Amino acid sequence: MKNYNDEQKALIASDKKWLSISKSAQDFLDYTDPEFKFLPPNAPFMGEKETAQEFWRSIVETPGLTLTWAPESAEAPVDSKIGAIGFTYGFYVLTNIDDAGVETVDKGKYVTVMRKQESGEWRPLNDIFNSDGE
């Protein structure tokens, strides 16, 4: 196993990669752990990848809607009965420009629990985010 700082860097790199490739609902989910669970705001728990895929599709396919996020830090690893577990946390910005050109911005925070795959890569296992409500 790598040392703590290397694992932290690997988790942050995985989080950034997930954002960079998530241009479609399929890409978003293809990067996740097989047992991925999604807990978005103002929506029910999504224990099935198909449900999470539909939610993500609504984000990437809605004109004028963009979601970005950036990891602030990471903690890793914890060996558990389901493998090496770590997490990232950070902040997101969800911007919507409606048909009239009016922009709304929602800022919030997130935590992504990741599991180390047999390949050595970290992949999202659970993702939760919520609005700052401003």
Side-chain angles (χ1 to χ4, degrees):
M1 185 177 295
K2 296 178 182 177
N3 72 39
Y4 179 81
N5 290 335
D6 289 343
E7 293 292 5
Q8 248 186 332
K9 289 175 187 173
L11 280 158
I12 289 171
S14 179
D15 191 324
K16 289 178 178 181
K17 182 176 179 181
W18 192 29
L19 173 63
S20 74
I21 65 153
S22 292
K23 306 304 180 210
S24 74
Q26 191 62 51
D27 293 339
F28 174 80
L29 284 177
D30 283 349
Y31 193 70
T32 63
D33 184 271
E35 296 180 27
F36 177 71
K37 308 289 187 268
F38 198 38
L39 299 94
N42 303 312
F45 170 77
M46 297 179 188
E48 301 296 323
K49 279 194 169 191
E50 294 78 18
T51 309
Q53 185 174 30
E54 288 305 312
F55 183 88
W56 192 255
R57 182 175 286 116
S58 74
I59 291 173
V60 297
E61 293 182 2
T62 300
L65 190 65
T66 57
L67 174 65
T68 60
W69 70 82
E72 180 74 15
S73 191
E75 297 294 333
V78 175
D79 288 323
S80 72
K81 64 182 178 180
I82 62 169
I85 299 292
F87 68 90
T88 59
Y89 64 90
F91 303 95
Y92 75 86
V93 177
L94 179 65
T95 305
N96 185 46
I97 301 174
D98 68 17
D99 293 337
V102 176
E103 181 181 79
T104 56
V105 178
D106 175 46
K107 295 180 180 181
K109 58 270 179 202
Y110 72 92
V111 173
T112 301
V113 177
M114 297 201 189
R115 179 164 42 193
K116 196 169 207 178
Q117 307 298 294
E118 287 184 22
S119 66
E121 282 189 288
W122 290 98
R123 295 291 178 103
L125 177 64
N126 304 113
D127 187 57
I128 186 168
F129 59 105
N130 58 61
S131 176
D132 291 342
E134 298 175 3

